[in-house]
Amino acid sequence: MSCLQTVTDYGLRSLGYGERLLPRSDFTLCQQFTLIGSGLIWNVYFGVLALAAGFFLATALALGKGARARVIRKPSEWFIFIFRGSPLFIQFFFAYFLFLSLKSVHPVFDPFSSAWLGALVVLFFNTAAYSAEIFYGALKSIPRGDVEAADAYGMSGWPRFRRIIWPTMLRLAWPGYTNEAIFLFHATTLVFFSGFPAQQQKGDALYYARYFADQTFNPFVPYPILAGYFILLTLAIIGLFGLVNRHLNRHLPPEQRRKIRLRPNLIR
Amino acid sequence: MFSFCTDPATLSDLPWMACYLTTGKHLNFYWAFGTVLLLLAITAPAALAFGFAGASAARSRFAPLSLVGKTYIAIVRGVPDIAFFLFFVIALDQGLEYLKHQWVCPDWDQAIRQGNDFIVCQAAKVPLGTSPQWVHKTYSFFVAAFTFAIVFGAFAANVLYGAMRAVPRSQLETAEAYGMSQRQTFRRIVVPQMWVYALPGLSNLWMVLIKSTPLLFLLGVEDIVYWARELGGSKTPRFTDYPHGDWRMWYFLVLLVFYLAFTRVSEVVLDRLMARLTLGQATTGGEAQRRAET
């Protein structure tokens, strides 16, 4: 079987298209590359959607944590603490079983017990909490002069936030936020390891990598392939976020611009 | 456990619960919390030692040694950690078996890697197929602890490497002016002073280490996640004296609360430790403390 044939058979296997049976014997390198790459679609799906939705919640939470009113500050602080203080792994398990129990209460919760929505909700809350902490730190380090200048121009409320505080906050937070984005993509590999079942073997990249490692008893091929894919994904994120960073810093002289520094990614 | 537990079906809610929560399996569940704490107690110092070795190696003037240290730091950074965990455990297992195989069965003429199979002679299995259950359990626990130590050692090495470089240059120059050798400077000046710079990073690492302990489950140790799934699943009267529905949600809620409480306590303790270490240091924190006192 040629490699092209394998790609057409398994290229979209993780979404349920193409060949139904996974390869059982005579594993070729091409099969491993194709299937693990096919699983990567799920990682990208979870990462992109959670990040996009989490961005807005994170902004709201950061403002909430910085608010003076106790009724707004305390819930935001608790939300951030709960999602940053416990392992994502346990959050996944808890959410899955919670959704399972809710399923019997009302059919609305039906889709929540499958990975595409349930895990997405958890990742969304989780990244919102982590990003909110980064944004909050940036909010605290906005130069006083900037805000005073806005006051002097007679700006207040929404225009001041929209034109001064928010862009500055983003500019200061962006290097940290880039790391958070990379980190989130790495965290998406946890989804199918925790509660959420991979129906009809439609899993993510790590799911297929582990499938091959289990079948061949040889971790030295699938995991490096997985690592390679993730390094490519990380490079893509750095490139994309670097463009945004350049846009946010475009008014500054080159030596004052904040560079994105990669920090080691840890388990969450 | 209690004397009134002989016939649970007749009990009312509260005594039933008391009996239910003290069954043998639940005691195993409580022990599993001990396993987590034990893992942390073993891994944290081991990772710190690996980290220290890695950072010292990366700082070394001897180029190959420095390269080894830097590679160690770099490798673990780029890859999703969970993949690293899965990979490393099998690799370590096979590596041990391969070495023992070379040692025990030198006249084995077949290839070890036959297609998809990894075959060593029976005597070279680690642990031996005939050894009792507890040996297997202890072995898998220590493989897990070692894996944690390697991975977190790399993170700690990164933190300590930065901290060693953050010790003010003038301190080192002063040491040189006093005629101390490279080694003396490292031992007497750099190491005692680096901790204040390393602590924020290390405490962050400790939090992450706490949060990564559920991964034990993936490494095949019977930990709290395993027991929560096992005990929480719905039970029919045919197999147990304590039938109940699907309670896994509540078991995981308990785990969630356990981790949150643990994180909170660590935060408080580490804040105190930081305040202590900052005392008298030439940092903004130390300066703020000095001002507050006078």
Side-chain angles (χ1 to χ4, degrees):
Chain A
M1 195 164 63
S2 74
C3 192
L4 200 67
Q5 182 63 33
T6 311
V7 173
T8 49
D9 278 353
Y10 290 117
L12 293 173
R13 176 62 182 78
S14 63
L15 303 179
Y17 299 109
E19 193 66 34
R20 206 169 61 81
L21 286 177
L22 292 186
R24 290 287 170 83
S25 54
D26 308 324
F27 303 94
T28 61
L29 260 182
C30 179
Q31 282 172 341
Q32 307 205 9
F33 267 107
T34 313
L35 261 176
I36 294 174
S38 157
L40 204 66
I41 297 173
W42 278 113
N43 296 98
V44 173
Y45 162 82
F46 284 125
V48 168
L49 286 188
L51 208 60
F55 177 79
F56 295 101
L57 183 59
T59 312
L61 281 170
L63 289 176
K65 195 175 175 183
R68 271 209 208 106
R70 234 178 116 80
V71 275
I72 307 177
R73 200 180 64 230
K74 282 289 159 190
S76 316
E77 278 178 0
W78 272 99
F79 185 92
I80 294 175
F81 174 67
I82 285 176
F83 281 96
R84 288 184 78 232
S86 61
L88 179 62
F89 200 51
I90 301 286
Q91 288 168 22
F92 272 133
F93 268 118
F94 176 67
Y96 176 61
F97 295 126
L98 178 73
F99 290 140
L100 269 191
S101 322
L102 286 176
K103 208 168 150 181
S104 55
V105 178
H106 199 282
V108 171
F109 293 104
D110 254 10
F112 280 94
S113 56
S114 44
W116 70 269
L117 187 57
L120 186 62
V121 169
V122 178
L123 281 170
F124 160 53
F125 284 153
N126 193 280
T127 185
Y130 277 86
S131 318
E133 191 66 27
I134 297 171
F135 288 166
Y136 174 71
L139 206 59
K140 292 275 116 173
S141 46
I142 291 178
R144 259 173 63 130
D146 289 19
V147 184
E148 278 167 4
D151 287 340
Y153 272 100
M155 285 186 191
S156 66
W158 175 249
R160 189 178 73 169
F161 173 76
R162 164 75 192 75
R163 302 185 60 170
I164 308 293
I165 294 181
W166 194 58
T168 314
M169 180 191 87
L170 278 189
R171 179 171 63 84
L172 294 177
W174 206 256
Y177 191 59
T178 308
N179 279 308
E180 157 62 24
I182 295 169
F183 190 13
L184 177 74
F185 275 93
H186 288 195
T188 54
T189 49
L190 274 174
V191 170
F192 290 104
F193 270 94
S194 52
F196 291 102
Q199 274 144 4
Q200 297 159 357
Q201 298 184 310
K202 291 184 271 187
D204 75 332
L206 185 59
Y207 177 84
Y208 290 122
R210 192 160 83 140
Y211 173 81
F212 283 117
D214 284 350
Q215 294 282 314
T216 58
F217 299 107
N218 182 2
F220 297 98
V221 178
Y223 288 129
I225 293 176
L226 177 75
Y229 272 126
F230 267 91
I231 288 168
L232 289 182
L233 192 60
T234 308
L235 288 178
I237 298 167
I238 293 173
L240 215 62
F241 276 67
L243 284 181
V244 178
N245 193 43
R246 220 167 67 186
H247 181 76
L248 288 170
N249 282 297
R250 67 195 182 283
H251 60 291
L252 290 176
E255 64 270 20
Q256 273 184 35
R257 292 186 185 173
R258 288 169 68 92
K259 291 235 170 58
I260 294 179
R261 265 192 69 219
L262 278 187
R263 303 233 312 281
N265 294 291
L266 310 168
I267 303 151
R268 66 209 280 172
Chain B
M1 186 85 174
F2 301 112
S3 54
F4 53 83
C5 288
T6 42
D7 190 10
T10 61
L11 290 171
S12 62
D13 286 349
L14 205 63
W16 187 90
M17 214 57 190
C19 292
Y20 173 67
L21 289 178
T22 48
T23 54
K25 280 194 170 178
H26 273 86
L27 294 182
N28 279 337
F29 178 50
Y30 305 140
W31 270 114
F33 284 98
T35 314
V36 169
L37 298 182
L38 182 69
L39 179 87
L40 286 174
I42 293 176
T43 311
L48 208 56
F50 276 124
F52 193 78
S56 315
R59 258 175 69 91
S60 161
R61 289 214 178 143
F62 182 54
L65 194 62
S66 152
L67 199 68
V68 167
K70 283 183 178 149
T71 319
Y72 172 52
I73 297 175
I75 280 184
V76 188
R77 275 200 204 176
V79 186
D81 321 286
I82 178 172
F84 197 84
F85 273 89
L86 293 172
F87 168 78
F88 192 79
V89 171
I90 308 184
L92 185 70
D93 212 40
Q94 293 190 352
L96 276 180
E97 287 192 347
Y98 178 75
L99 285 181
K100 196 175 169 192
H101 175 83
Q102 298 289 350
W103 176 262
V104 189
C105 321
D107 43 351
W108 181 268
D109 53 352
Q110 284 158 326
I112 290 186
R113 215 172 254 302
Q114 297 180 358
N116 290 331
D117 293 327
F118 182 84
I119 298 169
V120 291
C121 62
Q122 279 304 314
K125 289 270 186 224
V126 181
L128 290 174
T130 53
S131 46
Q133 183 70 25
W134 69 268
V135 175
H136 284 271
K137 278 190 177 174
T138 321
Y139 173 74
S140 61
F141 176 80
F142 276 101
V143 170
F146 189 65
T147 314
F148 269 81
I150 289 275
V151 173
F152 279 88
F155 297 148
N158 188 42
V159 170
L160 290 179
Y161 182 62
M164 284 174 185
R165 294 211 304 187
V167 173
R169 182 89 199 103
S170 52
Q171 300 269 354
L172 306 186
E173 278 162 7
T174 314
E176 263 166 40
Y178 273 94
M180 288 190 193
S181 69
Q182 278 279 320
R183 192 170 292 177
Q184 280 174 323
T185 317
F186 182 70
R187 213 175 52 228
R188 296 190 190 162
I189 310 293
V190 175
V191 174
Q193 290 203 54
M194 71 178 185
W195 297 111
V196 69
Y197 300 100
L199 194 68
L202 288 182
S203 55
N204 189 18
L205 214 53
W206 167 251
M207 298 293 182
V208 177
L209 182 61
I210 293 175
K211 287 195 276 171
S212 68
T213 47
L215 291 181
L216 269 181
F217 167 70
L218 297 181
L219 306 182
V221 177
E222 287 183 1
D223 76 328
I224 44 182
V225 178
Y226 169 84
W227 283 113
R229 271 159 64 112
E230 188 77 11
L231 292 168
S234 44
K235 303 273 182 346
T236 53
R238 257 176 64 198
F239 298 108
T240 166
D241 294 337
Y242 302 94
H244 60 76
D246 190 350
W247 284 0
R248 283 177 293 188
M249 186 180 116
W250 304 112
Y251 279 91
F252 278 99
L253 188 63
V254 170
L255 295 194
L256 208 63
V257 171
F258 166 73
Y259 278 108
L260 285 176
F262 201 1
T263 323
R264 189 81 206 127
V265 170
S266 306
E267 259 177 25
V268 172
V269 171
L270 286 168
D271 277 352
R272 293 232 174 122
L273 190 65
M274 186 67 197
R276 229 202 123 115
L277 276 181
T278 337
L279 207 65
Q281 285 284 347
T283 57
T284 43
E287 183 65 15
Q289 273 186 351
R290 197 180 62 80
R291 287 234 184 97
E293 273 168 25
T294 52

